[in-house]
Amino acid sequence: MIELFDVHKHFKEPVLRGVSLSVPAKGIYALIGPGAAGKSILFKIIAGLVTPERGSVRVNGEEVVGRREREMMDLRRGIGMLFQNYALFDLSVAENIAFPLRRLFDFSEDEIEARVAERLERVALPGFQDRNPASCSGGQKKRIGVARATIARAPIVLYDEPTAGLDPVTSQKIYNLIREEQRAQESTVMVISSDVNGVLSIADRVGMLHKGRLIFDGTVDEARVCPTPEVNQFVHGLTEGPL
Amino acid sequence: MNAALNIPYRMGAALLLIADQTGGIAIMAGQVVRRLVPPRIDRYELFRNAYRMGVQSVPIIAATAGFTGALMVIQGAPIVERYNARNIIGWSAMFTTFRELGPLLIALMFNGRVGANNTAELGTMVVTEQIDGLRALAIDPITYLVVPRYLSIAIMMTALVIIGDFVAILGAMGMAWGILDVWPRQFYYSAMPMLQTWDFSVGVIKGFFYGNMIALTSCYFGLSTRGGAPGVGRSVNASVVAAASGVFIVDYLSTFILH
């Protein structure tokens, strides 16, 4: 479970203004909102990569804010992450996916190989072990990222814009993959996305950030009939409105 | 802003920037030292970086050193001919190459090839969120990325100065034979009695300090990259200029100390 209370973050301007939300365990929480709403920063705050000026962030009951970097390292072992820009290293696909296992755990090479092969099968990229991510398409890189984010079977998985720049068919395949992975591993998943239709098709709950504030938090059905003008416009993709 | 105030304002801003960057490099040096006591080194990364930064730099460094040795002979040739002082050509060429020009030119070339590349790599890793990716995987970027690069650059720069010194001797010998008709054996015996081990050691020590400067500067500017792909370009530019300036400052100070 992920809980945020009154989280504030400034850079040159305020990015998050008192965000409070709760991501229930073993479900998918979609965080939507227009560009520059503060979604990615919130994602990094949850993982302890960025420190807020004010507020509290609890992951599985443990406070994140104020932890020293070394203490954060222990907490991050339980969090899988997919980054918007893939964050794949200049290594082979297999080495990228196996990276968390080799660095954080004590698995034998045979087990690592088997797990990598299983992950690649799962994300529909069998035989990609020796390829370099640079030679893969955007969709393939996202799938490699999903495989890496889930290989350690972390109880919490965060996905930042998992379908940015992808065509609708590939996007929906990625969302379906996220849903299947969540069900298979019974993990708590948070997906940040600007692709409303796609992400709402798999989400259990949804929140909307706008100008650093959480202006909606509820179920997908509630989001579709929300009277708040910004939420209504964003969820239905209307051109007329306050956004 | 008033034009009269503009100049002191800009000077103040520039000084603040230099202080900020110098402080940042010093903090990075402290972070590296903390991870070296006791040593926490990724050996695979260390050897990988040593190979691509050091071993693959040998051809360009050898060319630089060879030409430096040859140039010293060309510069000295008119004087040598005028005073028929062929018995000092070896010493004069090697003394200046070993103590000063060899390490300095090798450092500048190494900075251009390895320092710039190191900054670009780390900067690209920052803007593509790979550094965040490492931290998210509970891996300390200083231990995993900076320490092996720092050690590789400092050690390989020192090794390249030693290699470069020997290639410079060959370049100077060849040129002396070509334009002054000084045979290699004669060149060797004109240099060796007057050259001291310390002359060679000074250059090697300087090389180690230059390596430290290039390593810390290039890593600092790489990891402080902001602003996407254009930011990487700015970081590389700033890193090359700062490291080259640092090399000259270190050269100035070390020449005083090691004289």
Side-chain angles (χ1 to χ4, degrees), chain A residues 152-178:
Chain A
R153 295 170 189 162
I156 292 175
V157 188
L158 308 175
Y159 297 93
D160 187 6
E161 298 284 2
T163 60
L166 301 182
D167 64 82
V169 176
T170 310
S171 295
Q172 198 54 51
K173 284 182 181 172
I174 296 272
Y175 283 124
N176 292 345
L177 178 64
I178 291 171

Side-chain angles (χ1 to χ4, degrees), chain A residues 103-179:
Chain A
R103 297 277 160 180
L104 305 178
F105 302 95
D106 197 20
F107 288 104
S108 69
E109 277 304 307
D110 288 344
E111 193 165 353
I112 289 173
E113 254 180 57
R115 275 222 200 179
V116 168
E118 183 270 331
R119 282 293 88 188
L120 282 172
E121 286 281 348
R122 186 86 180 152
V123 298
L125 294 173
F128 268 57
Q129 277 91 335
D130 296 328
R131 294 267 293 266
N132 189 295
S135 67
C136 297
S137 69
Q140 289 169 340
K141 285 179 187 169
K142 290 283 185 189
R143 289 179 200 204
I144 297 164
V146 171
R148 188 175 70 182
T150 54
I151 194 162
R153 295 170 189 162
I156 292 175
V157 188
L158 308 175
Y159 297 93
D160 187 6
E161 298 284 2
T163 60
L166 301 182
D167 64 82
V169 176
T170 310
S171 295
Q172 198 54 51
K173 284 182 181 172
I174 296 272
Y175 283 124
N176 292 345
L177 178 64
I178 291 171
R179 174 91 260 182

Side-chain angles (χ1 to χ4, degrees), chain B residues 75-89:
Chain B
Q75 291 287 357
I79 303 293
V80 166
E81 288 208 305
R82 189 185 303 164
Y83 297 106
N84 195 24
R86 283 177 166 73
N87 58 337
I88 64 157
I89 185 66

Side-chain angles (χ1 to χ4, degrees), chain A residues 215-243:
Chain A
I215 59 171
F216 175 80
D217 184 18
T219 64
V220 173
D221 290 338
E222 286 167 352
R224 293 192 197 281
V225 295
C226 178
T228 310
E230 288 88 352
V231 179
N232 183 50
Q233 185 187 357
F234 196 75
V235 168
H236 296 287
L238 307 174
T239 53
E240 299 293 323
L243 294 177

Side-chain angles (χ1 to χ4, degrees), chain B residues 72-162:
Chain B
M72 288 300 96
V73 172
I74 295 170
Q75 291 287 357
I79 303 293
V80 166
E81 288 208 305
R82 189 185 303 164
Y83 297 106
N84 195 24
R86 283 177 166 73
N87 58 337
I88 64 157
I89 185 66
W91 171 77
S92 66
M94 296 331 303
F95 182 82
T96 47
T97 303
F98 279 3
R99 288 191 75 116
E100 187 62 51
L101 279 177
L104 188 64
L105 293 179
I106 287 170
L108 295 177
M109 187 59 84
F110 193 68
N111 182 35
R113 184 187 181 273
V114 173
N117 183 266
N118 189 39
T119 305
E121 262 187 23
L122 292 176
T124 305
M125 290 183 82
V126 170
V127 300
T128 57
E129 296 182 311
Q130 290 180 56
I131 302 294
D132 280 340
L134 282 174
R135 291 177 62 211
L137 292 168
I139 292 157
D140 173 26
I142 301 289
T143 306
Y144 180 65
L145 291 173
V146 176
V147 170
R149 284 160 197 256
Y150 163 78
L151 289 174
S152 298
I153 292 176
I155 294 167
M156 295 317 280
M157 175 68 209
T158 313
L160 287 169
V161 167
I162 296 169

Side-chain angles (χ1 to χ4, degrees), chain B residues 5 8 17-18 90 93 110 148 151 155 169 180 188-189 226 229 242 246 257:
Chain B
L5 288 175
L17 181 67
I18 291 170
F110 193 68
L151 289 174
I155 294 167
I169 293 174
L180 292 171
Y188 180 79
Y189 283 111
R226 298 287 177 274
I257 295 165

